[in-house]
Amino acid sequence: MSIGLIALLDDVAGLAKVAAASLDDVVTQAAKAGAKAAGVVIDDAAVTPRYVTGFAASRELPIVRRIAVGSLKNKLLFLLPAALALSLFAPWAITPLLMLGGAYLCYEGAEKVLEAIQPHSAHAHETAVTQAVQDAVGLEDTKVSSAIKTDFILSAEIMAIALASVPDSSFWSQAMILAAVGIGITVAVYGGVALIVKADDVGVALAANERPASTLLGLRRGSAPGLPASAADRALRVVTRAIGRGLVLGMPPFLKLLGIVGTAAMVWVGGGIVIHGLEAYGAGWLGHALHAAAEAGAHAVPVLAGAVEWVISAAGSGVFGLLLGGLLIPLTHYVLAPTVRRLRGLRGARAQRAS
């Protein structure tokens, strides 16, 4: 019996080693897949903060949390099973679906550009496409909904890149890798976004703290306004005030710049998705021309070859995405939105007749 028990324990130890090796392999492949999707992750982080600006400071973190929860749902409840199912049963559908998502990003980005250039036209288009929002709660809900829709497209691209990077893994390994990538990227992106949008509040706290050293060390002196500041407090206060004021003064222009980068990211990512999709359907002349231009630019500046190649590729994709989004705005305004309203009206009329 003791020999049988030892053999059983040996088998269990062997299975544990295999399981540990499999888990380690999943973690390694998830890290590699996440690294390949880093470009889209950066774009996601740049796009999101613009949905939070303009709200009261007390609503910033709750909005980020709502968008993060929606992002996790996008990845784990919808995109992960959809990606696995499509890869098994309908791999041909992945490219057109990604192209539709890319076109939506182009449309969103072009809307933001129109809003900056012709705010009255943008307002008229938004009124025609969506119902006007009057209260702060409705505005927040609209912003969160729009952010989650945009995140869905970016997340779909991330999950597609992650899935394409592990084609030889088993079904369950792919599922675990996609789940790990989805959770890790969501935490990284929205943790970073939360830090960005609250940086100005941190700056105010740093600038107003008269006893930073005591506060840092957790001493009671830091919370006792009647006590004089120590020498360490006075020395560190110069630094913390400078950092705090720098954050307070620097965050508004930084957020504005991040909003511009986010809008640019939407059009260049969306344009790039559509261009790559066209290549899959035999219309690769645009992608080839863009690639040739990027390579020529890289050869012209060999010291910065990688950066120049990326800038030319992103700029070309962005111009194409902006043009495509500009075409989709009137199409949505005059065709798609009236059609949707008409269908909703017919549905409402049928519901009234049925009741």
Side-chain angles (χ1 to χ4, degrees), residues 293-319:
E295 283 191 337
H299 287 309
V301 190
V303 179
L304 302 172
V308 171
E309 185 174 357
W310 180 87
V311 167
I312 294 176
S313 297
S317 298
V319 171

Side-chain angles (χ1 to χ4, degrees), residues 9-348:
L9 291 175
D10 186 62
D11 290 340
V12 170
L15 289 172
K17 289 180 181 179
V18 172
S22 299
L23 182 59
D24 183 63
D25 184 57
V26 167
V27 173
T28 302
Q29 291 193 65
K32 291 180 180 178
K36 288 186 178 181
V40 185
V41 173
I42 294 170
D43 297 335
D44 198 3
V47 167
T48 305
R50 70 183 183 83
Y51 291 102
V52 185
T53 56
F55 289 95
S58 61
R59 295 304 308 160
E60 289 174 344
L61 287 183
I63 291 173
V64 173
R65 183 172 60 249
R66 289 179 64 187
I67 299 173
V69 170
S71 178
L72 272 179
K73 289 180 179 178
N74 284 341
K75 294 181 179 73
L76 300 183
L77 298 184
F78 304 113
L79 293 172
L80 191 155
L84 293 173
L86 288 174
S87 66
L88 286 175
F89 305 111
W92 55 267
I94 295 176
T95 297
L97 289 175
L98 285 176
M99 290 178 69
L100 285 174
Y104 176 78
L105 287 180
C106 295
Y107 166 75
E108 280 271 292
E111 263 196 327
K112 299 305 174 186
V113 174
L114 178 64
E115 184 179 355
I117 298 175
Q118 295 182 335
H120 295 296
S121 300
H123 179 70
H125 171 68
E126 185 177 359
T127 303
V129 173
T130 60
Q131 185 176 359
V133 179
Q134 300 296 331
D135 59 346
V137 175
L139 178 61
E140 179 179 319
D141 291 340
T142 301
K143 285 280 189 178
V144 170
S145 176
S146 180
I148 292 174
K149 289 177 183 176
T150 302
D151 174 272
F152 186 89
I153 309 303
L154 295 171
S155 296
E157 181 74 359
I158 289 169
M159 300 298 265
I161 293 172
L163 184 62
S165 67
V166 288
D168 299 326
S169 300
S170 66
F171 176 84
W172 292 112
S173 292
Q174 287 180 338
M176 288 189 290
I177 290 167
L178 290 180
V181 169
I183 294 172
I185 284 177
T186 302
V187 171
V189 167
Y190 291 100
V193 170
L195 290 176
I196 289 172
V197 299
K198 298 307 291 183
D200 53 349
D201 293 338
V202 174
V204 171
L206 286 174
N209 193 345
E210 297 292 331
R211 301 177 180 84
S214 300
T215 302
L216 184 64
L217 296 174
L219 301 179
R220 290 185 179 179
R221 181 188 295 272
S223 59
L227 295 176
S230 65
D233 286 324
R234 290 193 295 272
L236 187 59
R237 187 169 57 199
V238 177
V239 178
T240 56
R241 277 186 176 177
I243 295 174
R245 288 172 179 171
L247 287 173
V248 172
L249 295 175
M251 284 313 296
F254 175 74
L255 286 174
K256 186 175 181 179
L257 175 63
L258 201 59
I260 295 172
V261 172
T263 300
M266 294 176 81
V267 293
W268 86 56
V269 171
I273 293 172
V274 176
I275 290 173
H276 290 311
L278 291 174
E279 291 179 4
Y281 289 105
W285 61 270
L286 180 58
H288 296 323
L290 189 57
H291 181 67
E295 283 191 337
H299 287 309
V301 190
V303 179
L304 302 172
V308 171
E309 185 174 357
W310 180 87
V311 167
I312 294 176
S313 297
S317 298
V319 171
F320 174 80
L322 193 58
L323 292 174
L324 177 59
L327 292 174
L328 290 175
I329 287 177
L331 177 65
T332 303
H333 188 103
Y334 295 108
V335 179
L336 297 181
T339 302
V340 170
R341 283 197 300 269
R342 193 175 298 112
L343 291 175
R344 286 178 178 173
L346 292 174
R347 187 183 304 173

